[in-house]
Amino acid sequence: MRLHLYFARKFAFALAGVFAVFAILLTLLDIVDQMRRFSDAGISFGGAFELSLLSVPQTLYRILPLIVLLATLVLFLGLARSSELVVTRAAGRSAMRALISPVVVALLLGALGIAVMNPIVAATQVRYEQKSADLEAGGGSVLSISGEGLWLRQGGPEGQMVIRASRANLEGTAFEGVTFISFAPEGAEVQGPVQRIEAASARLEPGRWVLENAKVWPLVGVPNPEAASSRAMELELPSTLTLDQIRDSFGTPSAIPIWELPAFIANLEGAGFSAKLHRVWMQMELALPLFLMAMVLVGAGFTMRHTRFGRTGVMVLLALMLGLALYFIRNFAQILGENGQIPVSMAAWTPPVAGILASLALLLHLEDG
């Protein structure tokens, strides 16, 4: 047990060191990028540094498997140079048993990433998007999804308009059970809602809404809105929304904490949209501990050998190449899952399981012949 704790502590220190190096480098690079991106907005160094602190956690979390791979190489190369692995084998400990501690640390790191880092990264990403949108155009999300349906907003010279729909098609161009509430523009004599429209369905076309079976209530200048209401089989309203704006308003799945993803997926599917992108992301997050374990085994398979055997640089290069290949295969499988080419469970769980099995086969071959 003392030997396991010793290896676990050294691996934890290696992880902390590699993580700190990447955090510092990425922060410095991101500060330069933020100052270049928002130079027209007159951003200061402090503002760029604040944006970098909000942006870098997402990048660090995304490359966490590569950080684990590099930390594994640092650990076992250090143990090989100090001959501690030789002593461990001489004491009767097999190489497979020496891997228990790093694997357990990787699994714990993956669980910590899901439970703690994921919500933190989601919060910082949302805050970064809000601040960058304010600096760019003062915009924000035009769509929100809840258990009551989906909500949209649009603005124009005639004022703001809030739109609620119970359902929508997958493309986000046709809506059912729609309510339009128009508000007076700023500076007008009358403030607040000025008109309400309910329609059985609405289609979003370039520059306009086309409503079917609509009923209109004027809310200003009439004593009884119901008595002054009117009906129309088809009604057109100007629109400043586009299909790209609606799609972009969903945001990336990484901006939603994993604890809130199941409810968000249910609301998204209840509103009529496809939630495959979010389902794939949730399964990928749940498979993160196994993927980190695969990275540890990949790194160990090429570096658990004494340096007197030579070709250390070649073995490190092979470990990096195999780890990067596994990382890109995982990303490629994610894309296939999001496009519906392969099942969601296969896209999320096959790369880490395949990496673990391949690495174990390599270790058993090298250690036991």
Side-chain angles (χ1 to χ4, degrees):
M1 180 60 67
R2 184 173 297 176
L3 188 60
H4 288 317
L5 292 176
Y6 174 73
F7 285 154
R9 186 171 64 251
K10 289 185 73 69
F11 186 52
F13 285 153
L15 277 172
V18 175
F19 190 88
V21 169
F22 272 93
I24 294 173
L25 290 177
L26 290 175
T27 301
L28 293 176
L29 293 175
D30 198 71
I31 288 175
V32 176
D33 183 65
Q34 299 298 340
M35 295 188 70
R36 177 193 58 80
R37 178 182 175 186
F38 299 110
S39 59
D40 295 338
I43 190 172
S44 63
F45 178 82
F49 182 68
E50 181 182 1
L51 288 176
S52 298
L53 293 181
L54 296 174
S55 174
V56 168
Q58 179 190 2
T59 306
L60 288 172
Y61 187 66
R62 187 175 299 172
I63 65 171
L64 187 60
L66 301 181
I67 293 176
V68 171
L69 174 63
L70 292 176
T72 304
L73 298 180
V74 171
L75 170 68
F76 286 107
L77 287 176
L79 293 177
R81 288 195 180 95
S82 61
S83 299
E84 290 174 280
L85 285 178
V86 176
V87 175
T88 301
R89 289 187 175 92
R93 297 269 182 168
S94 66
M96 301 301 294
R97 294 185 65 183
L99 275 172
I100 294 177
S101 298
V103 166
V104 171
V105 172
L107 291 175
L108 292 177
L109 178 63
L112 184 67
I114 296 174
V116 179
M117 293 181 64
N118 179 280
I120 293 176
V121 170
T124 56
Q125 184 177 348
V126 170
R127 184 61 178 165
Y128 171 77
E129 291 176 354
Q130 292 174 347
K131 281 186 167 293
S132 60
D134 292 339
L135 287 173
E136 285 179 336
S141 177
V142 300
L143 183 145
S144 175
I145 296 178
S146 65
E148 293 78 20
L150 56 96
W151 297 80
L152 302 98
R153 65 176 177 87
Q154 69 177 32
E158 64 278 358
Q160 296 286 325
M161 180 178 290
V162 176
I163 307 162
R164 190 200 72 84
S166 57
R167 289 184 61 82
N169 63 352
L170 294 178
E171 291 78 18
T173 56
F175 302 85
E176 299 176 2
V178 191
T179 301
F180 292 77
I181 300 179
S182 302
F183 291 83
E186 293 185 5
E189 296 181 0
V190 179
Q191 294 295 319
V194 296
Q195 187 183 64
R196 175 183 175 183
I197 304 174
E198 289 193 2
S201 63
R203 299 191 316 273
L204 178 61
E205 298 181 356
R208 64 175 184 171
W209 287 97
V210 180
L211 284 63
E212 295 181 358
N213 194 11
K215 185 176 182 180
V216 183
W217 289 271
L219 303 179
V220 176
V222 293
N224 188 347
E226 180 64 30
S229 63
S230 60
R231 288 186 175 274
M233 294 302 297
E234 186 172 292
L235 181 66
E236 293 187 3
L237 296 176
S239 174
T240 58
L241 293 178
T242 63
L243 181 58
D244 291 337
Q245 284 179 310
I246 294 178
R247 288 175 175 173
D248 293 343
S249 295
F250 287 120
T252 57
S254 58
I256 305 170
I258 193 170
W259 306 112
E260 301 176 7
L261 261 180
F264 186 87
I265 290 173
N267 292 334
L268 196 62
E269 293 179 338
F273 292 95
S274 174
K276 185 170 293 184
L277 188 73
H278 299 77
R279 288 189 178 276
V280 171
W281 172 258
M282 184 173 69
Q283 292 297 320
M284 298 286 288
E285 288 296 285
L286 294 177
L288 180 62
L290 286 184
F291 192 70
L292 296 185
M293 174 182 173
M295 285 298 188
V296 171
L297 295 178
V298 167
F302 291 93
T303 54
M304 290 189 68
R305 53 200 298 277
H306 202 276
T307 53
R308 65 182 177 86
F309 293 148
R311 301 176 59 192
T312 300
V314 175
M315 301 304 287
V316 170
L317 181 61
L318 289 175
L320 289 174
M321 291 178 61
L322 183 58
L324 288 172
L326 186 60
Y327 182 78
F328 287 115
I329 289 174
R330 177 177 181 252
N331 292 340
F332 183 65
Q334 180 180 357
I335 294 173
L336 292 180
E338 292 173 351
N339 293 332
Q341 302 296 321
I342 59 177
V344 173
S345 57
M346 181 181 294
W349 297 93
T350 299
V353 172
I356 291 173
L357 295 179
S359 302
L360 286 177
L362 176 64
L363 284 167
L364 291 174
H365 173 72
L366 293 178
E367 295 299 324
D368 298 330

